[in-house]
Amino acid sequence: MTDYTEMWTSLGLDVDGHNALLAGLGKAYTDIFLSQKDRPEGMKYFDFVMSEVHGLRIKELVDAKAAGKKVIGSYCVFVPEELVLAVDGVAVGLCAGAELNFEAAETLLPRNTCSLIKSAFGFKLGKLCPYVESCDVIVGENTCDGKKKAYEILGPLVKDLYVMDLPQTRSEMAKKLLKEEYRKFIAKLEDVSGKKVTPASLRKAIEIVNAKRKAVIRLAAIRAADPAPISGLDSLLVNQVFFHDDPVRFTDAVNKLCDELEERVKHHKGVFPRGTTRVIVSGCPMAVPNWKLPMLIETGNTVIVGEESCVGERGSRWLTEVKGNTVDEILDAITDRYFNIDCAIFTPNPSRVNYIKEMTKKLHADGVIHYSLQFCQPYIMESGPVEKELEKSGIPTLRLETDYSLEDAGQLKTRLEAFNERLKKK
Ligand code: BJ8
């Protein structure tokens, strides 16, 4: 195994703390992922990516920087990857999914902050994330109140925090605001990279990002099969790697995986027996290594067949239309695409629940598990009306609130078992 100590040291990481993190991550990965039966061969690529997620991939970022490229990190799917690629930059997702260094995070943030935000601070304060430390610019977005205020606190801790405003309603004015914010973001990217966004660079970037989305859309569609050809855990992993990997290489690996899964479907081969209870998980995004809930669901004889989440279909189901001849016209197409994202920060937000219903139908799911992180107001507030609407449409729904700790694992397991019983009787 390559020794990356020098690279991590030069990035300013706390090498001992980071080694402990990697050891924990490796063990969790072995226990949760490698112990699954009949995994597709194509998952080997993702196992490799995960084994090198703080190694080879970071080396690639360091090399890209040495070659003059800029690394742009973000915490939200509203930050267009197309714009980063159009200045020949590298886009990386920074959301964090581990309960690490929360004590330090709580010296800056209220205790009742969601785990996603606390984790980002825990990683930063503990100098544990080589992605954060590799970034030339970190983009914050004004979405939920927690993130908005957290970025004010994060600003002085990082090299260059760029905050983007976002609309929260669906009006023409709101769309104009989004486009204006994207225009300002282009100016920022041009400034840091010294490169100009052109119609040609935008078109090429759209092509790359659309191809990546098409690959995960293909994967999502294959999961309609019974028996399920791939576990929800492995599919979630693919959707998590979406935010870290080189986009072209990732697209290729997902398409190869899909070729294999389509063969499996032809031969009725699955990772769970035919007729296993099927659920959709909907709600807050799950960042690496937040695998607790899917693990509990799938070790309880239920298979996850779709994620209505930003690490899942909400993040990838829309393509950017390739239209327009000028930067301004192409930016209209990009804005149109992103304005569809039905995050719970929008009000009202009917398309989200409508899409959960659509997913349930097309993926032949028996029920929906609504997942909110504790203290996440947008998704917790929306979960009540979502549950009501789904139940009214005959879709059994279980609402769960949890965090990154394992303390509630037993309690969650009991509730999942009871829900599974309900679905079996349907
Ligand atoms: S588009 S879901 S990635 S904002 S869990 S930090 S909402 S309190 S992550 Fe998100 Fe963009 Fe929306 Fe998607 Fe706040 Fe909730 Fe915490 Fe959250």
Side-chain angles (χ1 to χ4, degrees):
M1 249 177 76
T2 316
D3 184 357
Y4 294 107
T5 309
E6 209 180 303
M7 177 178 79
W8 293 328
T9 310
S10 69
L11 286 172
L13 293 191
D14 166 0
V15 174
D16 289 342
H18 184 252
N19 283 343
L21 163 71
L22 288 191
L25 192 65
K27 175 156 182 357
Y29 194 81
T30 306
D31 293 349
I32 297 171
F33 286 90
L34 303 183
S35 64
Q36 297 176 99
K37 287 202 191 96
D38 299 324
R39 292 179 81 215
E41 277 295 301
M43 284 312 295
K44 287 207 170 113
Y45 171 77
F46 298 92
D47 293 340
F48 175 71
V49 169
M50 285 307 292
S51 70
E52 288 288 342
V53 73
H54 281 197
L56 192 57
R57 183 61 185 141
I58 300 300
K59 167 102 179 34
E60 288 178 348
L61 298 187
V62 170
D63 291 348
K65 280 157 75 83
K69 295 188 181 209
K70 296 296 169 191
V71 176
I72 313 294
S74 73
Y75 295 98
C76 179
V77 295
F78 271 106
V79 180
E81 186 173 354
E82 291 94 332
L83 302 186
V84 176
L85 297 189
V87 294
D88 202 23
V90 184
V92 288
L94 297 177
C95 286
E99 191 181 52
L100 261 183
N101 226 11
F102 273 22
E103 254 177 53
E106 284 169 12
T107 61
L108 297 178
L109 302 168
R111 262 201 96 226
N112 55 354
T113 303
C114 83
S115 293
L116 205 111
I117 298 174
K118 263 195 224 172
S119 183
F121 273 72
F123 273 90
K124 175 64 211 164
L125 294 171
K127 298 182 183 144
L128 295 168
C129 180
Y131 288 92
V132 169
E133 305 308 328
S134 301
C135 284
D136 294 290
V137 178
I138 292 182
V139 186
E141 20 52 59
N142 288 337
T143 44
C144 65
D145 287 351
K147 276 187 174 178
K148 257 183 258 179
K149 301 313 282 184
Y151 294 134
E152 293 174 10
I153 303 169
L154 185 68
L157 305 176
V158 298
K159 186 171 141 197
D160 188 356
L161 180 78
Y162 176 82
V163 178
M164 180 185 282
D165 203 9
L166 283 189
Q168 315 211 334
T169 57
R170 303 263 172 220
S171 63
E172 273 312 303
M173 280 303 285
K175 198 193 262 189
K176 273 192 191 140
L177 167 76
L178 188 63
K179 184 178 174 190
E180 199 42 43
E181 286 298 316
Y182 288 166
R183 205 196 306 273
K184 282 196 253 167
F185 185 44
I186 289 180
K188 171 72 182 176
L189 290 168
E190 288 181 333
D191 183 41
V192 285
S193 68
K195 289 174 187 148
K196 210 80 199 121
V197 169
T198 64
S201 73
L202 272 178
R203 265 187 229 110
K204 188 170 167 230
I206 290 172
E207 216 174 276
I208 292 171
V209 185
N210 272 350
K212 175 163 112 157
R213 291 178 185 134
K214 276 184 197 161
V216 289
I217 292 170
R218 184 178 168 204
L219 172 64
I222 294 172
R223 294 166 74 193
D226 187 10
I230 183 168
S231 67
L233 270 166
D234 278 337
S235 309
L236 172 66
L237 188 75
V238 172
N239 281 298
Q240 289 176 331
V241 169
F242 184 96
F243 295 93
H244 299 285
D245 201 4
D246 172 79
V248 176
R249 188 174 58 205
F250 172 86
T251 303
D252 191 44
V254 179
N255 278 323
K256 281 194 183 119
L257 173 68
C258 289
D259 292 343
E260 182 188 350
L261 296 182
E262 280 166 359
E263 278 304 303
R264 279 189 167 205
V265 173
K266 257 192 232 159
H267 298 97
H268 310 288
K269 189 173 173 205
V271 284
F272 288 84
R274 194 186 174 87
T276 300
T277 308
R278 303 161 67 87
V279 293
I280 304 283
V281 175
S282 167
C284 291
M286 290 181 186
V288 174
N290 177 10
W291 303 311
K292 175 176 77 172
L293 186 62
M295 178 199 67
L296 291 171
I297 295 172
E298 294 204 326
T299 48
N301 290 324
T302 303
V303 58
I304 301 166
V305 293
E307 296 79 25
E308 190 283 313
S309 160
C310 289
V311 182
E313 293 211 26
R314 197 188 312 127
S316 57
R317 78 178 193 266
W318 296 277
L319 300 179
T320 301
E321 221 183 304
V322 191
K323 62 172 188 192
N325 295 315
T326 62
V327 167
D328 190 65
E329 286 167 3
I330 300 174
L331 194 55
D332 274 330
I334 291 175
T335 308
D336 283 346
R337 187 266 165 202
Y338 282 86
F339 199 58
N340 288 316
I341 299 172
D342 38 17
C343 171
I345 57 143
F346 274 83
T347 177
N349 194 30
S351 73
R352 182 172 164 239
V353 71
N354 289 339
Y355 192 65
I356 303 172
K357 284 197 237 172
E358 195 182 317
M359 275 180 85
T360 309
K361 198 166 164 206
K362 69 183 179 190
L363 297 170
H364 314 294
D366 300 298
V368 171
I369 295 176
H370 191 285
Y371 158 80
S372 306
L373 280 173
Q374 258 168 26
F375 312 121
C376 169
Q377 283 208 352
Y379 283 90
I380 294 173
M381 295 285 280
E382 205 163 276
S383 68
V386 164
E387 178 190 36
K388 214 163 153 197
E389 177 62 28
L390 293 178
E391 291 280 356
K392 202 173 86 189
S393 311
I395 302 169
T397 305
L398 173 68
R399 274 202 282 161
L400 297 176
E401 250 178 71
T402 182
D403 58 14
Y404 287 176
S405 81
L406 284 172
E407 272 169 30
D408 61 351
Q411 198 199 355
L412 287 173
K413 209 164 166 258
T414 310
R415 293 195 60 200
L416 289 167
E417 276 164 11
F419 188 57
N420 191 326
E421 282 308 310
R422 181 181 167 203
L423 297 183
K424 275 199 223 147
K425 283 187 200 141
K426 227 179 87 175

